[in-house]
Amino acid sequence: MIMRIMHKMAEDRYGASLAEAAQFFRKIALEIDQNPNDIIRYYSKLPINYLNDLCQQSCEKRVKLYEALSYGDAGVLLACPGPSLAGMMINELADSFQRDLFHKSVALYQARTFLAVTEPNCGSNINLLSTQLVKQESALGHYVLSGEKKLVGHAATGALGVVLVRTAKGPLGISAVLLMPETVNSPFVERQVLPMFGLRGAQIGRLIFKNVGLDQALILGHHRSTIERGMAALIKTFNRMRPCVGAMALGVAQAILDYIYDNKIQFSLDEARYYEKLNAKVEAVRFLLYEAALYIDQNPYDSALPSLVKTKATAVVEEISQAAFSFFGSSSMIEHPWLTKWYCDAWGFEYMEGTSHIHKKNIFYGYGKKSTYFVPSKISTP
Ligand SMILES: Cc1cc2nc3c(=O)[nH]c(=O)nc-3n(C[C@H](O)[C@H](O)[C@H](O)COP(=O)(O)OP(=O)(O)OC[C@H]3O[C@@H](n4cnc5c(N)ncnc54)[C@H](O)[C@@H]3O)c2cc1C
């Protein structure tokens, strides 16, 4: 079943060109949900310029792109080839050789990419990462990579990507390495797609590194000091990514609201009030999202506001994806398969880029002492 998008509403909100890209995402959404690898068949029709822009732009522009494309379909967006989150890490840390190598390879292989952070034993807690990069001679270079990553988008379907590794004890001992296709496809790397019931385009999976030889040239930011390329650079990158996950959640929430408006024949007074309340929540999150994006472009080390907006956007999409059923009665799960799909997708955002209880810790610290957003007196005056 192909669902029409309310052209006018999408165009007013996102502009004609993005609304058209969203329309295409919506058209192929159910097919990609069933078989995410079908995305390759549509390569020539995908909005490659927007997919490349996702990692190149300011956070302000990026959240608008993420919201609009996720309004089309977040699963399709996650299935797409392109630099994606790995590209953001490359932008932050890579030298010009690495940058060139990465972007040329993404274009050449029409590649899907991965950014591997999460591990089976410590989740996404970077402080406890145990995937190791040690200095040791091998046939392929002066370093050897070993360890395991899990729940990583395109771990098994990406042609290349970036992996977070530990090079020494402590917060300065964290680095990121670029894995090129010849390494990813070598017998020293084991890969597996894991089953999913929502956001299936992400194709999360497992990567096992069995003493993989690597050249120093693939360590991102090897030309920089350990402080510049360690935890600080990663925090900056994560702060810039989190509003994007919030934007994806918001795009889905908006899609559900528009679907209700488009498909509900008549609203009772109570239903109209409830709908307006949900709409107001989406507007409030969008306002906060734009604030956070602008703020993080200026204050990339301050984690509180990105954490707040990611937590809020996640909560709103979860609420709306459940509330949607109440507008269509008891058989709505059968009669409105889109609502069921969005309901499954909505719960994935909580687990992308850290869960809410970890973000609430960042928000607490922001109120307590660090964030100039929450504590304006901290803003330095000239
Ligand atoms: C659709 C989807 C796509 C995903 N894509 C990717 C991807 O591309 N790459 C990737 O690496 N992962 C990816 N993930 C995995 C995701 O990032 C993690 O599962 C998520 O961040 C939750 O982390 P967690 O498992 O540590 O759970 P949490 O509930 O966040 O943490 C579990 C425990 O770990 C500890 N902990 C975690 N973080 C911290 C912290 N910052 N400080 C202190 N303690 C902490 C705490 O003890 C906590 O109780 C994806 C997940 C989904 C659903």
Side-chain angles (χ1 to χ4, degrees):
M1 183 184 85
I2 294 172
M3 201 195 107
R4 75 197 155 100
I5 295 184
M6 297 180 65
H7 271 296
K8 184 80 179 76
M9 285 165 92
E11 259 186 53
D12 287 351
R13 205 174 291 116
Y14 305 120
S17 165
L18 267 174
E20 195 184 317
Q23 169 85 31
F24 181 67
F25 276 21
R26 189 75 65 91
K27 191 173 152 193
I28 61 173
L30 295 182
E31 179 189 345
I32 298 301
D33 195 55
Q34 285 302 305
N35 185 5
N37 285 329
D38 273 5
I39 197 77
I40 297 157
R41 295 204 295 120
Y42 293 108
Y43 188 84
S44 62
K45 293 185 180 159
L46 293 172
I48 298 296
N49 53 336
Y50 286 131
L51 298 173
N52 286 335
D53 268 8
L54 287 174
C55 79
Q56 310 278 14
Q57 296 294 340
S58 67
C59 196
E60 188 194 2
K61 174 120 190 261
R62 201 160 44 229
V63 295
K64 291 180 180 170
L65 288 171
Y66 265 102
E67 184 196 330
L69 296 174
S70 301
Y71 177 86
D73 189 69
V76 173
L77 175 56
L78 290 168
C80 275
S84 190
L85 297 180
M88 286 172 70
M89 197 62 90
I90 293 283
N91 280 357
E92 190 60 53
L93 284 172
D95 61 23
S96 56
F97 165 76
Q98 294 164 336
R99 209 173 285 229
D100 219 40
L101 187 64
F102 175 80
H103 287 291
K104 279 192 177 146
S105 306
V106 170
L108 177 70
Y109 296 103
Q110 303 184 348
R112 290 165 286 176
T113 54
F114 56 82
L115 172 63
V117 180
T118 311
E119 295 188 0
N121 294 326
C122 67
S124 55
N125 184 355
I126 307 174
N127 294 305
L128 300 179
L129 281 193
S130 65
T131 295
Q132 271 197 328
L133 186 72
V134 292
K135 211 162 183 186
Q136 190 182 312
E137 292 303 321
S138 78
L140 294 171
H142 305 299
Y143 285 84
V144 168
L145 171 69
S146 55
E148 182 175 346
K149 298 284 178 183
K150 204 176 171 188
L151 307 177
V152 172
H154 292 301
T157 42
L160 72 164
V162 172
V163 181
L164 258 57
V165 294
R166 178 164 291 290
T167 51
K169 282 185 181 161
L172 295 182
I174 303 285
S175 284
V177 287
L178 174 59
L179 291 196
M180 294 299 292
E182 55 274 21
T183 308
V184 169
N185 294 318
S186 80
F188 301 102
V189 180
E190 203 178 298
R191 309 201 285 165
Q192 180 197 0
V193 181
L194 296 169
M196 299 179 78
F197 68 86
L199 295 177
R200 297 187 70 242
Q203 300 216 64
I204 59 175
R206 184 199 298 261
L207 281 155
I208 301 175
F209 307 111
K210 298 179 281 188
N211 298 323
V212 186
L214 285 178
D215 197 278
Q216 186 188 14
L218 297 173
I219 303 176
L220 299 184
H222 65 93
H223 57 300
R224 301 180 187 203
S225 72
T226 38
I227 295 179
E228 280 180 317
R229 72 164 186 259
M231 191 67 106
L234 300 179
I235 287 173
K236 214 162 37 161
T237 313
F238 289 139
N239 285 343
R240 289 181 173 138
M241 290 175 189
R242 282 171 184 152
C244 301
V245 179
M248 291 174 79
L250 189 71
V252 174
Q254 187 67 64
I256 301 172
L257 281 185
D258 287 359
Y259 179 92
I260 297 170
Y261 192 84
D262 206 18
N263 287 276
K264 177 99 181 140
I265 293 164
Q266 203 173 4
F267 287 83
S268 69
L269 191 57
D270 279 350
E271 284 171 337
R273 282 198 185 118
Y274 188 36
Y275 184 87
E276 279 311 315
K277 193 172 145 189
L278 297 174
N279 200 33
K281 286 188 180 187
V282 164
E283 290 297 336
V285 168
R286 186 175 287 115
F287 175 80
L288 192 63
L289 186 66
Y290 292 172
E291 285 254 301
L294 271 172
Y295 181 80
I296 215 63
D297 279 334
Q298 305 301 322
N299 305 274
Y301 291 108
D302 191 340
S303 303
L305 194 52
S307 285
L308 177 65
V309 76
K310 197 258 166 176
T311 307
K312 285 279 180 200
T314 304
V316 161
V317 76
E318 286 171 6
E319 181 183 355
I320 290 176
S321 72
Q322 287 182 86
F325 294 110
S326 67
F327 286 93
F328 295 102
S330 54
S331 54
S332 51
M333 272 201 163
I334 298 161
E335 285 167 6
H336 298 273
W338 277 97
L339 296 185
T340 309
K341 181 195 184 294
W342 281 318
Y343 182 73
C344 293
D345 288 348
W347 300 89
F349 299 112
E350 166 68 5
Y351 299 96
M352 294 174 75
E353 295 296 325
T355 48
S356 293
H357 60 281
I358 300 295
H359 289 304
K360 283 175 185 165
K361 208 177 66 163
N362 289 340
I363 300 164
F364 172 78
Y365 286 135
Y367 271 112
K369 41 186 181 273
K370 285 194 203 141
S371 174
T372 53
Y373 183 80
F374 295 115
V375 190
S377 63
K378 293 258 171 186
I379 296 170
S380 55
T381 44

